[in-house]
Amino acid sequence: MGADIKALRSRIKSVDSTLHLTKAMGLVASSKIRKANSAMVKSQDYASAVQNIVDVLSRSSECEKSPYMRASDGSRTKIIVIAGDRGLAGGYNANIFRLVKDYPDAEYIPIGKRACERFGEEINSSETFSYSDAKELSDRLCKEFCEDKFDRLGIISTKYVSMMTQEAQISWVLPIKKAETQNSVSVIFEPDEISVLNTAVPEYVTGILIAALRESFASEVAARRMAMDSAGKNAQQMIDSLQLEYNRARQGAITQEITEIVAGSGT
């Protein structure tokens, strides 16, 4: 009985330590949520503005001659995979890697420590991946695309739906597709549409990449907050259950001792 009480006390202490850890991680995630959401909204606004410019240019017949709008069969695919730097975020990383399996023949470019570890690449951080890092990567990929080293570029990232819901998704960035919607505003580009498009596309890819990074990080923070809240509730329920079991075992030990004392005094 004494051994059971000691084991229960040890388990309660262990689970209590886990509870303190989940609370601390939940607080850290909460402190990052507002900043992450603000960065996400700003990056999405910028990406939308650049997207509008590219959409206008893509409707020009002259721009169809651009290497960025060439037709391809998608047989040589490169995919940027954005995952988190840490675990303990529910299904955040698992959902990304599940989607990756749908493109087994692609060449992957990982961003985030978890993705880099999975693909055996040099470690980089998705949280601190800067605009200059994104610009450098985008310029290189655009140059390789124009040199016909691959014919399709996509980004696997996480879409922020709400605090409770985040979805893995793939967005195809290159080649540029002709926009279907018509714009009633007449725009004159100097020196000409194709020159502006070829100059704008690397910035466009950078904007899309930064927006995906910021949205993915906001999703990771939200997923971790929810996961830590859930883990904290489970830990508290386990502590309550173990505490009840401990009290019963302790009461049983006391009752047994009293019984033995009474029996001993009777003899």
Side-chain angles (χ1 to χ4, degrees), residues 33-53:
I33 285 176
R34 179 173 296 181
K35 184 177 179 181
N37 285 352
S38 176
M40 175 183 69
V41 171
K42 291 178 181 178
S43 64
Q44 288 175 337
D45 289 343
Y46 178 75
S48 178
V50 181
Q51 177 78 64
N52 290 338
I53 295 173

Side-chain angles (χ1 to χ4, degrees), residues 18-19 24 44 48 50 55 60 81 85 89 91 103 132 138 147 149 187 191 197 217 225 231-232 250 258 263 265:
T18 301
L19 177 61
Q44 288 175 337
S48 178
V50 181
D55 285 347
S60 167
V81 180
D85 293 336
Y103 305 92
S132 60
S138 299
E147 293 172 351
K149 293 184 178 180
V187 182
L197 178 66
F217 180 65
R225 166 64 188 277
R250 187 167 178 272
I258 293 174
S265 63

Side-chain angles (χ1 to χ4, degrees), residues 14 17 56 95 127 197 208 223 246 253:
S14 175
S17 297
V56 172
N95 292 336
E127 181 177 355
L197 178 66
I208 297 297
Y246 170 80

Side-chain angles (χ1 to χ4, degrees), residues 107-120:
E107 179 183 344
Y108 302 111
I109 303 169
I111 298 178
K113 294 178 182 178
R114 293 297 187 186
C116 292
E117 290 170 357
R118 185 179 182 90
F119 297 110

Side-chain angles (χ1 to χ4, degrees), residues 70-88:
R70 71 169 185 264
S72 65
D73 58 5
S75 58
R76 297 173 299 160
T77 300
K78 283 193 176 185
I79 297 178
I80 300 171
V81 180
I82 302 173
D85 293 336
R86 293 171 290 276
L88 300 177

Side-chain angles (χ1 to χ4, degrees), residues 175-192:
I176 301 297
K177 300 297 183 182
K178 184 174 182 178
E180 296 179 358
T181 58
Q182 296 298 320
N183 194 327
S184 59
V185 179
S186 178
V187 182
I188 298 175
F189 293 96
E190 293 289 347
D192 53 68

Side-chain angles (χ1 to χ4, degrees), residues 5-265:
I5 293 175
K6 186 176 180 180
L8 286 168
R9 189 186 297 119
S10 178
R11 286 193 65 192
I12 291 171
K13 185 177 180 180
S14 175
V15 177
D16 187 60
S17 297
T18 301
L19 177 61
H20 281 81
L21 176 63
T22 58
K23 284 183 176 180
M25 293 189 68
L27 289 172
V28 171
S30 297
S31 68
K32 291 182 176 182
I33 285 176
R34 179 173 296 181
K35 184 177 179 181
N37 285 352
S38 176
M40 175 183 69
V41 171
K42 291 178 181 178
S43 64
Q44 288 175 337
D45 289 343
Y46 178 75
S48 178
V50 181
Q51 177 78 64
N52 290 338
I53 295 173
V54 172
D55 285 347
V56 172
L57 289 164
S58 69
R59 289 193 288 270
S60 167
S61 58
E62 184 67 21
C63 287
E64 293 178 5
K65 302 174 185 177
S66 170
Y68 293 114
M69 293 190 69
R70 71 169 185 264
S72 65
D73 58 5
S75 58
R76 297 173 299 160
T77 300
K78 283 193 176 185
I79 297 178
I80 300 171
V81 180
I82 302 173
D85 293 336
R86 293 171 290 276
L88 300 177
Y92 173 78
N93 290 312
N95 292 336
I96 288 292
F97 297 136
R98 191 177 298 116
L99 183 56
V100 165
K101 293 180 181 179
D102 293 341
Y103 305 92
D105 299 325
E107 179 183 344
Y108 302 111
I109 303 169
I111 298 178
K113 294 178 182 178
R114 293 297 187 186
C116 292
E117 290 170 357
R118 185 179 182 90
F119 297 110
E121 298 288 342
E122 182 180 350
I123 300 296
N124 57 54
S125 169
S126 59
E127 181 177 355
T128 60
F129 203 85
S130 65
Y131 174 85
S132 60
D133 295 329
K135 187 69 168 66
E136 181 181 352
L137 176 59
S138 299
D139 287 346
R140 176 170 64 83
L141 291 174
C142 287
K143 181 180 178 182
E144 291 177 358
F145 185 82
C146 290
E147 293 172 351
D148 200 26
K149 293 184 178 180
F150 66 97
D151 52 27
R152 186 168 65 159
L153 175 66
I155 300 176
I156 290 181
S157 60
T158 304
K159 179 181 179 181
Y160 183 95
V161 180
S162 68
M163 274 292 296
M164 299 183 66
T165 307
Q166 302 83 36
E167 299 174 352
Q169 64 177 3
I170 184 164
S171 304
W172 296 109
V173 184
L174 295 176
I176 301 297
K177 300 297 183 182
K178 184 174 182 178
E180 296 179 358
T181 58
Q182 296 298 320
N183 194 327
S184 59
V185 179
S186 178
V187 182
I188 298 175
F189 293 96
E190 293 289 347
D192 53 68
E193 287 88 345
I194 190 169
S195 298
V196 176
L197 178 66
N198 291 341
T199 303
V201 167
E203 190 65 35
Y204 159 76
V205 175
T206 302
I208 297 297
L209 177 55
I210 283 292
L213 279 161
R214 300 297 178 256
E215 186 171 12
S216 291
F217 180 65
S219 298
E220 179 186 2
V221 172
R224 181 167 293 112
R225 166 64 188 277
M226 297 305 299
M228 292 303 98
D229 283 350
S230 178
K233 291 177 182 177
N234 291 337
Q236 188 59 59
Q237 289 176 359
M238 186 176 292
I239 288 174
D240 292 343
S241 177
L242 289 171
Q243 189 66 53
L244 181 61
E245 189 176 349
Y246 170 80
N247 291 339
R248 287 174 177 171
R250 187 167 178 272
Q251 184 62 47
I254 293 172
T255 301
Q256 183 177 349
E257 289 177 5
I258 293 174
T259 301
E260 289 173 355
I261 292 172
V262 171
S265 63

